[in-house]
Amino acid sequence: MPHAENNSDARRFAFDNTYARELEGLYVPWKAARVAQPAMVKFNHELAEELGLDVAFLDSEEGARIFAGNDIPEGALPLAQAYAGHQFGGFSPQLGDGRALLLGEVIDRNGKRRDIQLKGSGPTPFSRRGDGRAALGPVLREYLIGEAMYRLGIPTTRALAAVVTGEPVYREGALPGAVLTRVAASHIRVGTFQLFAARGEQDKVRRLADYVVERHYPELKQHANRYVELLKHVCDRQAALIASWMHVGFIHGVMNTDNMAISGETIDYGPCAFMDRYDPATVFSSIDTHGRYAYANQPGIAQWNLARFAETLLPLIDADNTRAIARATEVIHAFPDAYQRYWLAGMRAKLGLTTEEEADLNLASGFLAAMEGQKVDYTLAFRYLADAVLGTEEAVRAVFADPSAYDVWSGHWRARLARDAIDPILRAQAMRRVNPVFIPRNHRVEEALNAAVERNDYAPFELLLKIFSRPFDDQPEFAAFAEPAPEGSARYQTF
């Protein structure tokens, strides 16, 4: 394995690569393809500090060479991870990192183990005739959306760096090439388990499950049946994660099993987008022609994916297949209730409720029903409810094409608030802490990406990062960025 040109970077990363050491056979050692002229576009100082990295050294030409894959830092063991996956319901028996390399793992300042991965670093044995490259636009999109999700309080992978390569990549035409450096709790997916279960390699499934328990769920190590408990814990984290997506109108767009992280983080920001006007059938992805991954379908798809995960664990859960199926089925069938608990807890907070009543589910669902077909902006409707708490209802009524549905619902809401005694100012403040003003509005994201790709102008990208760093604050100077796309805009589509 080649070392970096400058050995002074031996101190820059304290790699401790357990995946490479303990899971041989689940990856292929590989190295990135060299690029012509790597240059730093954006370096995440805050994340680098959290990881305990040398910020001054890495935000440099030397850092750009590392994050492009040209230089391999001391201690790194670059590898392409193997996995399979169900893609739009059809099983692909081998996928794997076709354009990504895991450089290694570091322990951050909070004692958490984090993966550092290059994405767009050239072809690997899993590239399936692809070039293994990434274009600048998708790299910047993942950087932006990941940071926005993090600031919204949603578990997510994050970008450490984005570099341009000085080389074109060819899609519909020539585009500037780029590499993203992604940080994750791990990159282990449901599809990682599926690959070895489909091959009947139960020893590798067991090794992987034990590794996941050790890394992500160490409290399960002493449990009598750690594998059924692992299934329960992964299901619980996914229930919480998907509920948090639904709370902010996020649509992942490609919820294949190879895009569901066992850690419970949001991973792979491909054709993702945020819903403007409330419509449960909203789809943005150009490849999701049947709406499989529409906004309202996300909880059900998560359960479906988790059932696929459960199937890989059956021989570990119980040697008797009938008993194993019964135990796993019980866990999977409990997912909708867990999801609803997380969703309703979040909706109570969004509606300003501090106590619990059985009818709160109907109240929350009723607000969504009032929005449907009314061209209501999902984000602003919830944000303006905080004003309504203080007696100013003009703004929330104005987002409804016909506010009569809101008026009927509002009567029930106000009766509920009256039974939930709290100072209105305190209630409004609490609501503003969970109902963002700013989300990555799709048209604004596209404007920023186009400016960077077409004009080498990164100012709109930097501005969005600045705005998204405080999504719950009003920031009146940026009020225009809280508004949805103009009425009559072309239907937004992601690729």
Side-chain angles (χ1 to χ4, degrees):
M1 192 66 67
H3 289 292
E5 294 167 4
N6 183 350
N7 283 333
S8 68
D9 71 26
R11 302 183 305 278
R12 314 299 180 177
F13 292 88
F15 283 116
D16 178 34
N17 302 321
T18 58
Y19 197 93
R21 281 201 308 271
E22 299 175 22
L23 295 174
E24 190 174 351
L26 279 71
Y27 61 86
V28 177
W30 206 250
K31 61 181 181 180
R34 292 187 67 83
V35 301
Q37 290 181 295
M40 191 74 72
V41 166
K42 184 66 179 174
F43 182 68
N44 193 332
H45 285 233
E46 179 197 356
L47 180 55
E49 294 274 8
E50 186 181 307
L51 295 171
L53 304 181
D54 186 330
V55 172
F57 171 76
L58 289 172
D59 192 5
S60 65
E61 290 183 11
E62 292 96 330
R65 290 200 297 270
I66 289 171
F67 295 131
N70 280 11
D71 288 359
I72 301 172
E74 189 76 22
L77 293 172
L79 58 88
Q81 292 177 309
Y83 49 85
H86 277 87
Q87 300 191 312
F88 292 90
F91 186 63
S92 297
Q94 182 165 299
L95 298 168
D97 288 334
R99 56 176 182 153
L101 288 178
L102 177 63
L103 282 186
E105 305 151 26
V106 297
I107 309 297
D108 69 17
R109 293 189 186 279
N110 300 312
K112 295 188 185 330
R113 183 175 297 275
R114 313 278 285 278
D115 278 1
I116 298 181
Q117 184 200 64
L118 303 181
K119 188 174 179 182
S121 53
T124 76
F126 304 119
S127 292
R128 305 181 300 284
R129 299 188 299 279
D131 62 10
R133 300 295 194 179
L136 178 60
V139 163
L140 296 182
R141 176 191 296 277
E142 181 150 353
Y143 197 118
L144 271 177
I145 304 297
E147 286 304 288
M149 294 284 273
Y150 173 72
R151 299 297 181 179
L152 288 166
I154 297 172
T156 181
T157 61
R158 295 179 70 189
L160 176 61
V163 299
V164 287
T165 62
E167 300 174 354
V169 295
Y170 297 95
R171 299 297 182 255
E172 303 81 19
L175 296 166
V179 180
L180 181 81
T181 302
R182 182 164 71 184
V183 175
S186 81
H187 287 85
I188 301 167
R189 310 147 189 268
V190 169
T192 318
F193 282 83
Q194 287 183 288
L195 175 64
F196 302 103
R199 293 177 177 177
E201 297 183 57
Q202 282 307 318
D203 58 325
K204 289 180 180 173
V205 176
R206 184 182 296 274
R207 270 200 291 147
L208 182 61
D210 288 344
Y211 177 84
V212 165
V213 167
E214 181 71 40
R215 181 163 177 174
H216 294 300
Y217 304 96
E219 66 275 18
L220 306 184
K221 283 192 290 186
Q222 306 307 317
H223 203 277
N225 191 328
R226 63 167 63 178
Y227 305 112
V228 76
E229 289 300 314
L230 173 60
L231 179 59
K232 288 179 184 177
H233 279 64
V234 172
C235 286
D236 187 71
R237 284 203 190 172
Q238 288 295 332
L241 178 66
I242 306 304
S244 70
W245 291 1
M246 303 296 279
H247 291 146
V248 297
F250 174 74
I251 301 167
H252 187 280
V254 62
M255 285 180 67
N256 298 329
T257 57
D258 56 298
N259 289 337
M260 179 176 271
I262 297 299
S263 65
E265 288 183 331
T266 312
I267 189 171
D268 282 331
Y269 293 103
C272 66
F274 282 75
M275 181 170 62
D276 279 339
R277 294 173 178 87
Y278 178 73
D279 178 357
T282 301
V283 174
F284 293 112
S285 170
S286 63
I287 57 175
D288 191 3
T289 51
H290 299 293
R292 177 180 172 86
Y293 300 143
Y295 172 75
N297 290 348
Q298 292 182 133
I301 289 295
Q303 184 183 21
W304 192 91
N305 288 349
L306 290 164
R308 306 291 77 75
F309 177 51
E311 289 164 357
T312 72
L313 298 178
L314 291 176
L316 306 183
I317 290 172
D318 200 301
D320 181 297
N321 194 50
T322 302
R323 284 201 303 265
I325 290 172
R327 297 197 71 180
T329 299
E330 184 181 359
V331 176
I332 297 301
H333 282 178
F335 177 84
D337 286 343
Y339 164 77
Q340 185 173 288
R341 280 196 306 275
Y342 284 114
W343 181 81
L344 185 53
M347 292 300 281
R348 283 190 176 107
K350 289 174 76 68
L351 295 175
L353 304 179
T354 63
T355 59
E356 298 180 9
E357 289 186 7
E358 195 171 326
D360 291 345
L361 178 61
N362 291 335
L363 186 70
S365 301
F367 190 47
L368 301 182
M371 288 189 210
E372 200 162 345
Q374 291 287 329
K375 301 181 179 178
V376 175
D377 185 82
Y378 181 83
T379 301
L380 294 181
F382 278 102
R383 182 70 179 188
Y384 292 155
L385 282 181
D387 298 330
V389 160
L390 299 176
T392 307
E393 284 196 291
E394 290 84 355
V396 67
R397 292 183 84 249
V399 299
F400 284 79
D402 173 6
S404 61
Y406 166 77
D407 292 338
V408 172
W409 175 84
S410 176
H412 300 295
W413 178 54
R414 291 193 175 283
R416 175 68 180 89
L417 294 182
R419 298 193 298 276
D420 186 66
I422 181 175
D423 181 273
I425 293 174
L426 295 179
R427 193 194 306 277
Q429 289 173 344
M431 291 171 73
R432 290 183 180 123
R433 287 194 294 270
V434 296
N435 289 313
V437 193
F438 299 99
I439 57 166
R441 296 284 182 179
N442 304 321
H443 64 298
R444 294 294 188 181
V445 171
E446 290 303 319
E447 288 170 2
L449 301 189
N450 290 340
V453 172
E454 296 171 10
R455 302 190 300 278
N456 199 34
D457 176 8
Y458 291 95
F461 170 78
E462 293 284 358
L463 178 59
L464 287 187
L465 278 179
K466 178 180 178 180
I467 293 169
F468 297 159
S469 72
R470 295 163 49 214
F472 300 102
D473 295 348
D474 280 320
Q475 305 184 66
E477 67 275 29
F478 302 126
F481 289 83
E483 296 297 323
E487 187 94 40
S489 300
R491 180 179 168 272
Y492 184 66
Q493 198 169 44
T494 56
F495 298 90

